[in-house]
Amino acid sequence: MAGDSKYGLSSTAGADVFEALANIELVVTDCDGTLLYTDKALGQPAIDAVRRLQAAGVRFTAASSRPGKGMRHIVEALGIDMAYASYNGGSLVEPGTWKLLSSHKLPRDVVQTSLDTLAAAGVDAWVFIDDAWYLTNPDATYVPLETRTVGYEGVRVARFDDLDLDAVDKIVGSTADTALLTRVETGLQQQLHGRGHAARSQTYYLDVTSIDANKGTAVRELARLANVPLERVAVLGDMGNDVPMFEIAGVSIVMGQASDAVRRQASLVSTSNDDDGFAIGIEAIVAARAGG
């Protein structure tokens, strides 16, 4: 029955899920709010846990809402040697060469609908094309945070219409008014149904990506590349944009600070990201594989 606990994790799916940990061959993790602390730092407990996981023969990679370039320092720090997913699964990137293996661009009509909706709601919009980040308001609340997160500055433009809007990978709406962003998220999901995907990657960020760009699709492709069946894949996350990968992986571990709605979609619950919930989840897999 649900409510069982082991390895510092609690189960929402019964005790059998702990046995599944011993069979994990591939781990895919979200970055912000999961692998990283809230201040965007990569902690030593996470680094040590990933090293032990890799030493145990388990493949490891990441799937993030970030652009590929904004994930490079994480990939290098953790010795990731297989493809990783950026833009919520919209692109797959090869480490080292940083070659783009695949990408899913937003249809032009989805781009226009999203930008118009964000503007009407008074929500700051950013446009990402390849690894470039474009913005019209450099004084927006979350520009300094995004600069620190991705590791480079956005490019100011007078208007987005001057860009190649047929080549957009992701649109982000950002605001400190999280209640407003929740309403905008719901409205955009309805407007873009069947045409695009809208989901928050943070409480203050709303990501719009291709209908084919989601972390579930990314995990499916990463598992295929690693030749690992989905039932032997474990994923870790904390937000609504992580739910698609929760739905297809054999084991899903959610961070403790996640909303109740997201927590219900995962099979195991860890502590918060700031309480090393990621490291606890990884160490559970290592321990289970060792017969602990």
Side-chain angles (χ1 to χ4, degrees):
M1 60 181 292
D4 298 281
S5 298
K6 192 175 183 180
Y7 305 122
L9 304 173
S10 59
S11 169
T12 64
D16 289 348
V17 69
F18 294 111
E19 297 178 10
L21 289 173
N23 298 317
I24 295 303
E25 298 177 8
L26 170 65
V27 173
V28 182
T29 186
D30 166 55
C31 292
D32 300 285
T34 303
L35 171 66
L36 307 177
Y37 295 138
T38 300
D39 66 2
K40 307 300 181 181
L42 176 61
Q44 194 61 46
I47 295 171
D48 292 343
V50 170
R51 287 174 179 166
R52 281 190 280 273
L53 182 78
Q54 293 166 329
V58 179
R59 304 294 300 276
F60 177 82
T61 191
S64 174
S65 64
R66 296 180 178 212
K69 183 179 177 181
M71 298 173 67
R72 289 184 187 179
H73 66 288
I74 298 170
V75 169
E76 291 175 332
L78 296 176
I80 293 175
D81 62 358
M82 64 173 287
Y84 64 93
S86 62
Y87 290 135
N88 286 323
S91 298
L92 294 186
V93 183
E94 181 179 74
T97 66
W98 313 116
K99 176 183 176 183
L100 189 64
L101 301 178
S102 64
S103 66
H104 299 284
K105 302 289 186 177
L106 277 167
R108 177 61 179 269
D109 64 316
V110 171
V111 171
Q112 201 62 59
T113 297
S114 301
L115 291 176
D116 290 347
T117 299
L118 293 172
V123 174
D124 285 299
W126 302 332
V127 171
F128 290 82
I129 299 175
D130 297 327
D131 280 324
W133 161 36
Y134 298 96
L135 54 99
T136 58
N137 178 15
D139 298 319
T141 303
Y142 290 102
V143 168
L145 175 62
E146 186 69 4
T147 301
R148 189 167 78 248
T149 296
V150 300
Y152 54 92
E153 294 185 353
V155 178
R156 183 178 183 179
V157 294
R159 56 180 198 156
F160 293 126
D161 286 344
D162 294 332
L163 302 174
D164 180 2
L165 297 184
D166 291 314
V168 175
D169 290 285
K170 182 179 73 165
I171 293 172
V172 174
S174 69
T175 177
D177 189 339
T178 56
L180 169 62
L181 200 59
T182 298
R183 294 194 297 273
V184 174
E185 177 184 33
T186 300
L188 261 182
Q189 286 174 343
Q190 294 171 349
Q191 291 181 76
L192 301 181
H193 181 70
R195 299 188 296 134
H197 187 74
R200 279 176 297 163
S201 58
Q202 300 291 328
T203 57
Y204 43 83
Y205 285 170
L206 173 60
D207 294 353
V208 179
T209 51
S210 164
I211 195 68
D212 296 317
N214 68 74
K215 292 187 181 182
T217 301
V219 168
R220 194 179 299 278
E221 180 62 12
L222 292 169
R224 185 191 68 79
L225 291 173
N227 196 30
V228 174
L230 288 171
E231 62 267 23
R232 292 178 178 265
V233 176
V235 298
L236 298 93
D238 73 309
M239 289 295 295
N241 66 325
D242 297 315
V243 170
M245 64 179 183
F246 291 177
E247 293 173 342
I248 67 166
V251 175
S252 51
I253 303 173
V254 68
M255 299 300 100
Q257 82 278 4
S259 69
D260 288 343
V262 173
R263 286 162 64 107
R264 285 194 295 270
Q265 301 301 314
S267 50
L268 291 168
V269 180
S270 188
T271 57
S272 74
N273 62 318
D274 287 331
D275 290 321
D276 293 312
F278 168 83
I280 290 170
I282 297 299
E283 296 289 8
I285 295 170
V286 174
R289 284 177 54 88

